[in-house]
Amino acid sequence: MSKIKNIAVLTSGGDAPGMNAAIRAVVRSAIYHHLRVFGVRHGYEGMIQGQLKEMKSHHVANIIQRGGTILKSARCEEFKTPEGRKKAYEQLKSFDIDGVVVIGGDGTFKGARAFMDEYEIPFVGVPGTIDNDLFGTDYTIGYDTAVNTVVEAIDKIRDTASSHNRLFFVEVMGRDAGFIALRSGIACGAEAILIPEKQTHLETLRSHLEDGPRRKKSSNIILVAEGEVAGGAFAIAEKVKEDFKEYDVRVTVLGHIQRGGTPSAFDRFLATRLGVAAVQALLDDQKSIMVGYMDREIVHIPFNKTIKHNRTVNQELLDLFDILNV
Ligand code: F6P
């Protein structure tokens, strides 16, 4: 019999479509297991300030299809300090919380890991970020929806690009990671992608553009991940304009539309499975782990291993651009 009686759930960092489905799954499975469940508003900030409120099943009705997060989210500087975490611990104690589910990305898990080094209340993480940059899960909640949003936008850009024979640089999100650029680039038939994980790309891009006339293409779309080391889509477009005057260049930054919108069926499914698994993990006395989804199975990965720099880009997928751009 588990000693867990009261749990808290929060969303933290950049919001991601499917977070609401995860909150719903946590709340309902907690109630199913006869636990009391408290929603924390505004992530760690709300935890420090004691913004906890008990949630019942009806509080999460009709949210599975909604983007954003009903609990709100924040990036909290104070939680990075021992003083901030102490305040959070005291608040959790005052609500008698004996387990916490945190839904977020690597910043969220770094905070959780620091807390776990100091206090005994178990934290379990659910991967929620459009960036898909966490080690230990094939997919993070929100990534699939974001990729679909990007693909839909680029299909539209392709129409106008081909009508005018233009070269477009389209900047997509991914602060330190190129997973959105990689997957959507493949799905929309982009001519190339520029991502932080691959250093030699400017040269590749040059040879690709030099080869343009031979390939008789009516449009070129290059996806640039925002964290790309050469400085983002505008900076790269400027360089290209100088060297390749024959190209009519345009830039589009897709920005935060990638974070909003109705979650895809896959994200809802993933969020539901992971939310239920997180509550089960707390009941099984797990702590300091993220529940992940690998090879269609639920896995438990220590927070230490989940941070983004462990996750590498699949070279086979990068090679597809060369194969398909003959
Ligand atoms: O963490 C997801 C993400 O959307 C990144 O891709 C992006 O760099 C960042 O958040 C932007 O964060 P914000 O606009 O919320 O500060």
Side-chain angles (χ1 to χ4, degrees):
M1 184 73 177
S2 170
K3 51 186 184 304
I4 304 271
K5 300 269 179 290
N6 302 322
I7 69 165
V9 57
L10 61 81
T11 48
S12 158
D15 64 331
M19 278 184 164
N20 279 328
I23 295 167
R24 171 180 177 270
V26 170
V27 169
R28 294 225 166 133
S29 63
I31 294 169
Y32 174 84
H33 290 293
H34 310 292
L35 309 176
R36 291 177 75 199
V37 55
F38 293 76
V40 185
R41 281 170 71 83
H42 304 286
Y44 290 130
E45 224 166 81
M47 188 183 269
I48 289 170
Q49 291 159 7
Q51 293 187 38
L52 280 76
K53 207 171 156 224
E54 186 165 1
M55 296 180 85
K56 301 289 186 191
S57 188
H58 69 271
H59 289 128
V60 291
N62 209 8
I63 65 166
I64 194 168
Q65 77 282 21
R66 282 171 55 192
T69 156
I70 59 161
L71 289 176
K72 313 268 182 187
S73 194
R75 301 187 198 276
C76 177
E77 287 304 312
E78 200 180 354
F79 198 75
K80 292 181 184 161
T81 66
E83 298 74 32
R85 293 192 292 274
K86 183 162 184 285
K87 283 188 206 163
Y89 174 74
E90 282 159 5
Q91 292 288 2
L92 291 176
K93 275 295 190 201
S94 74
F95 281 88
D96 240 350
I97 299 296
D98 32 30
V100 180
V101 176
V102 291
I103 306 167
D106 74 310
T108 306
F109 297 163
K110 279 180 190 156
R113 182 184 57 181
F115 186 94
M116 292 265 54
D117 289 344
E118 297 160 343
Y119 303 105
E120 79 283 4
I121 299 173
F123 276 43
V124 165
V126 172
T129 162
I130 63 164
D131 289 352
N132 206 36
D133 56 354
L134 291 166
F135 177 83
T137 188
D138 293 337
Y139 299 103
T140 56
I141 297 165
Y143 173 62
D144 183 64
T145 307
V147 166
N148 280 301
T149 301
V150 171
V151 169
E152 201 183 320
I154 291 179
D155 286 349
K156 291 177 179 156
I157 292 172
R158 180 71 81 179
D159 289 344
T160 173
S162 354
S163 302
H164 290 266
N165 283 2
R166 278 179 173 157
L167 162 59
F168 266 84
F169 288 90
V170 182
E171 187 172 299
V172 298
M173 276 189 167
R175 196 177 8 224
D176 306 306
F179 296 103
I180 296 177
L182 181 58
R183 198 172 181 88
S184 36
I186 292 170
C188 68
E191 277 63 33
I193 58 161
L194 305 180
I195 58 173
E197 295 89 342
K198 194 170 174 232
Q199 302 292 327
T200 56
H201 42 61
L202 266 185
E203 279 323 301
T204 322
L205 179 60
R206 272 175 212 287
S207 58
H208 174 81
L209 294 178
E210 274 159 8
D211 198 28
R214 179 193 65 78
R215 301 170 65 235
K216 295 194 174 67
K217 296 216 73 157
S218 63
S219 61
N220 274 283
I221 292 184
I222 316 292
L223 286 197
V224 185
E226 65 174 329
E228 205 285 325
V229 281
F234 278 104
I236 293 166
E238 280 312 311
K239 282 182 203 153
V240 166
K241 272 191 214 167
E242 278 166 29
D243 297 353
F244 294 93
K245 301 222 171 0
E246 66 276 27
Y247 279 102
D248 191 11
V249 178
R250 293 292 185 276
V251 177
T252 302
V253 177
L254 294 184
H256 287 78
I257 62 160
Q258 295 161 91
R259 285 239 298 257
T262 303
S264 65
F266 178 80
D267 275 329
R268 299 180 201 193
F269 168 82
L270 179 70
T272 302
R273 285 213 64 186
L274 292 176
V276 168
V279 173
Q280 188 58 54
L282 284 174
L283 290 170
D284 293 342
D285 291 329
Q286 296 276 354
K287 57 181 173 189
S288 213
I289 55 127
M290 174 192 84
V291 288
Y293 190 63
M294 291 183 92
D295 299 326
R296 288 183 281 169
E297 300 280 349
I298 297 292
V299 292
H300 293 169
I301 308 289
F303 281 144
N304 281 340
K305 286 195 178 172
T306 58
I307 54 169
K308 67 180 74 170
H309 301 295
N310 285 334
R311 176 145 189 180
T312 50
V313 165
N314 184 339
Q315 184 60 43
E316 242 178 82
L317 296 183
L318 288 172
D319 292 345
L320 288 183
F321 288 89
D322 295 333
I323 297 171
L324 295 166
N325 277 306
V326 285

